[in-house]
Amino acid sequence: MGGEKAKKIVQFQVEYEGRQHLITTFPNEYRNLMVLIYDKLFLDEFGECRGMGRCGTCLVKVNNHLELNAYDRNEEATINKLGMRTECVRLSCQILADEKLDGQSFTILEQS
Ligand code: FES
């Protein structure tokens, strides 16, 4: 009985300062990956522009190279400005916190 579908769980790894963190959430429980990481890991100075795609403090390396759903707000210009342009570097505030995060692995990048 029941009839109600079980809510799908999303789990992925985040590496920060050499430590691995397993993050568990539900699809679209958070607005984007930056807000999710900020809420789970309590990182100071992470995501300073709150998702406008301008500050570059939410940079992550996407380790699995899987396609992720994205916003496209200022991301390319900000990454270029930081000199971090490679295919696997993204602003986490521009990545949707949906089911495509499941099984992913990210490394939080420090800015110099
Ligand atoms: S939070 Fe500022 S660029 Fe992502």
Side-chain angles (χ1 to χ4, degrees), residues 4-110:
E4 195 178 302
K5 271 195 201 167
K7 229 178 176 184
K8 186 174 172 14
I9 287 177
V10 172
Q11 283 193 317
F12 59 95
Q13 294 278 344
V14 174
E15 182 184 334
Y16 178 62
E17 293 186 335
R19 292 185 55 196
Q20 292 288 339
H21 303 266
L22 180 64
I23 293 188
T24 303
T25 187
F26 297 108
N28 304 305
E29 184 179 12
Y30 289 84
R31 189 159 40 104
N32 58 49
L33 179 60
M34 178 276 289
V35 176
L36 172 54
I37 290 174
Y38 184 85
D39 193 49
K40 300 280 186 183
L41 300 186
F42 312 107
L43 305 179
D44 286 341
E45 298 170 11
F46 185 76
E48 282 187 339
C49 76
R50 313 313 306 152
M52 297 302 291
R54 291 185 188 279
C55 70
T57 60
C58 67
L59 274 181
V60 292
K61 182 165 165 273
V62 182
N63 296 319
N64 294 358
H65 303 277
L66 296 176
E67 192 181 318
L68 298 164
N69 291 327
Y71 295 112
D72 204 9
R73 203 164 32 195
N74 305 317
E75 182 170 26
E76 196 176 340
T78 299
I79 289 175
N80 283 341
K81 197 171 66 187
L82 295 168
M84 300 291 284
R85 186 169 180 129
T86 71
E87 249 176 56
C88 55
V89 171
R90 298 286 312 273
L91 297 176
S92 59
C93 67
Q94 302 302 304
I95 297 174
L96 296 180
D98 62 12
E99 61 283 345
K100 286 194 175 175
L101 293 184
D102 196 44
Q104 272 288 359
S105 162
F106 300 95
T107 302
I108 296 177
L109 299 175
E110 301 285 330

